[in-house]
Amino acid sequence: MRVGMNEFVELLKPELEKQTGCEVVTGEMKRLHGKTSYRGLLVLGKEEVSWSLLFLDRIIVDYWNGRGLDSIVEELCLENEKRKTGNEIGVYFYDLEKSKPNFCYQLVNKQNTLTFSEGRPKEFYLDLVKQYGILTEEKKGWRIFLDIRNTHLERWGISEQELKQQAEQNMKSLLPVRKETIRDSFPGKEAELDVFLKGVKGEELADHLLTLTNSLRFYGATVMTYKGVLEEIAEQWEDHLMISPSSVHDITVRPLKRGYGMTTCVETLHERNLTQRKSEEILSNHVYLYERGTGHLIVV
């Protein structure tokens, strides 16, 4: 069984730290317009200059094809040494005032994450985990989510609770909610929309099925944790909500009394997770029920 990206990162990180003598942190770059994202490692400890993530998306394929870990670490060290100076994004880990407005979190699968979250601030949420980090400012059409470790909290002189409170305050403004109906998915394509609607539940579904994500469409399932978001939709529809976690990047919300039944939602989610999602993109195999009136969110 070949390793996933999380396992690969955890294999590389200590070896790269040993060879460079510097702290290494993980990060993920996301293009502002489009689906492209890259996972990488950032070697700290040099002077400031531009981007310097060591990307792993190509190298992990080499590893799957039998390339040794020592050879990969050697290549990454050489690539890092070619950079005569270091990286301006590394300053986030030394300057609390720069980092604080950019504290945020991602919502991820608990089963896939716990092994790799040792020494990192986290919080359990339903059957999921909030994983804390820094969202860097935009540069050249990209933004980077950098993972935070407990050692960074010690360096900044703040507690885990302070980090979490600040991240909660930041989320709605840093990564605002984006709502899309089925109609929004077919801009200017009425014929295609009609064909789709005939194959599902018809015209009503187009107005009573929402996809929720954030402004980056990057780990956008976090919007289900934002205060008031689900409550507002439930009041608008005057119904409880069925929530399907399409992936770590978005969720699908519909009124409980309309559309597919609960069993069908669960079966569809399981099928898509098995056939259409990479392991690191899967948020959960469970759907959720939001109770209008009480605000309770229940794992089904």
Side-chain angles (χ1 to χ4, degrees):
M1 178 178 172
R2 68 186 190 182
V3 301
M5 182 59 82
N6 281 340
E7 293 100 328
F8 188 55
V9 165
E10 293 304 310
L11 286 171
L12 281 176
K13 187 174 174 292
E15 295 302 316
L16 195 55
E17 286 183 330
K18 188 187 302 180
Q19 293 298 319
T20 62
C22 297
E23 180 185 1
V24 175
V25 297
T26 53
E28 192 165 359
M29 285 183 76
K30 173 68 169 70
R31 187 179 288 281
L32 297 185
H33 303 290
K35 297 182 178 180
T36 307
S37 64
Y38 297 105
R39 190 73 181 274
L41 294 170
L42 176 67
V43 179
L44 302 179
K46 292 185 177 181
E47 298 297 325
E48 298 178 20
V49 79
S50 58
W51 306 103
S52 64
L53 275 183
L54 300 169
F55 299 120
L56 305 178
D57 298 73
R58 173 188 59 81
I59 292 180
I60 192 173
V61 177
D62 293 345
Y63 186 71
W64 290 339
N65 291 332
R67 185 178 177 186
L69 197 64
D70 289 346
S71 173
I72 290 173
V73 171
E74 182 181 357
E75 178 182 333
L76 292 175
C77 286
L78 288 172
E79 184 179 341
N80 186 61
E81 281 303 313
K82 288 177 184 177
R83 298 157 182 172
K84 295 180 181 179
T85 52
N87 55 83
E88 62 185 16
I89 49 179
V91 74
Y92 286 94
F93 291 104
Y94 298 94
D95 186 344
L96 176 60
E97 294 309 308
K98 185 174 180 64
S99 301
K100 199 172 181 180
N102 296 286
F103 287 160
C104 61
Y105 57 83
Q106 296 174 339
L107 204 56
V108 293
N109 182 290
K110 180 162 66 175
Q111 185 175 351
N112 290 346
T113 304
L114 282 183
T115 308
F116 314 108
S117 60
E118 289 302 317
R120 298 174 184 173
K122 58 183 177 293
E123 183 174 334
F124 297 109
Y125 181 85
L126 302 173
D127 61 326
L128 310 171
V129 175
K130 290 181 181 179
Q131 185 170 279
Y132 290 83
I134 302 165
L135 186 67
T136 67
E137 296 165 4
E138 184 272 330
K139 182 161 186 176
K140 299 180 181 178
W142 295 86
R143 297 189 79 174
I144 304 179
F145 180 91
L146 297 167
D147 296 320
I148 292 176
R149 302 188 70 85
N150 293 337
T151 52
H152 302 137
L153 301 185
E154 294 171 8
R155 183 181 297 153
W156 291 320
I158 64 172
S159 67
E160 184 171 320
Q161 188 59 32
E162 288 176 292
L163 165 70
K164 292 176 179 179
Q165 289 176 349
Q166 186 63 50
E168 290 290 345
Q169 292 176 27
N170 292 344
M171 290 299 290
K172 271 192 173 182
S173 57
L174 198 60
L175 291 164
V177 178
R178 183 186 183 105
K179 300 177 184 177
E180 293 182 346
T181 65
I182 287 178
R183 296 183 193 281
D184 296 326
S185 302
F186 294 86
K189 300 177 181 178
E190 292 301 322
E192 292 182 26
L193 174 62
D194 289 342
V195 170
F196 176 82
L197 293 177
K198 288 177 182 177
V200 284
K201 291 288 183 179
E203 192 74 14
E204 187 180 29
L205 181 64
D207 299 310
H208 291 91
L209 187 67
L210 281 176
T211 296
L212 301 187
T213 183
N214 58 32
S215 54
L216 278 183
R217 301 175 184 267
F218 184 56
Y219 289 88
T222 53
V223 299
M224 70 186 283
T225 70
Y226 292 7
K227 185 176 180 180
V229 171
L230 297 179
E231 178 185 10
E232 180 182 333
I233 298 170
E235 291 304 314
Q236 178 185 341
W237 285 340
E238 298 183 343
D239 198 357
H240 306 307
L241 304 179
M242 181 60 64
I243 300 163
S244 179
S246 306
S247 73
V248 294
H249 301 302
D250 55 76
I251 60 172
T252 300
V253 179
R254 68 168 179 81
L256 181 61
K257 296 176 184 176
R258 295 185 178 95
Y260 303 119
M262 191 178 296
T263 301
T264 301
C265 281
V266 173
E267 291 174 350
T268 300
L269 177 63
H270 284 186
E271 175 65 21
R272 288 178 177 173
N273 283 347
L274 281 172
T275 61
Q276 299 179 27
R277 302 278 180 254
K278 297 177 182 178
S279 61
E280 58 267 26
E281 292 178 333
I282 295 173
L283 183 59
S284 176
N285 281 314
H286 297 283
V287 297
Y288 307 99
L289 175 66
Y290 176 83
E291 289 188 339
R292 180 191 176 210
T294 68
H296 293 158
L297 196 55
I298 302 165
V299 181
V300 178

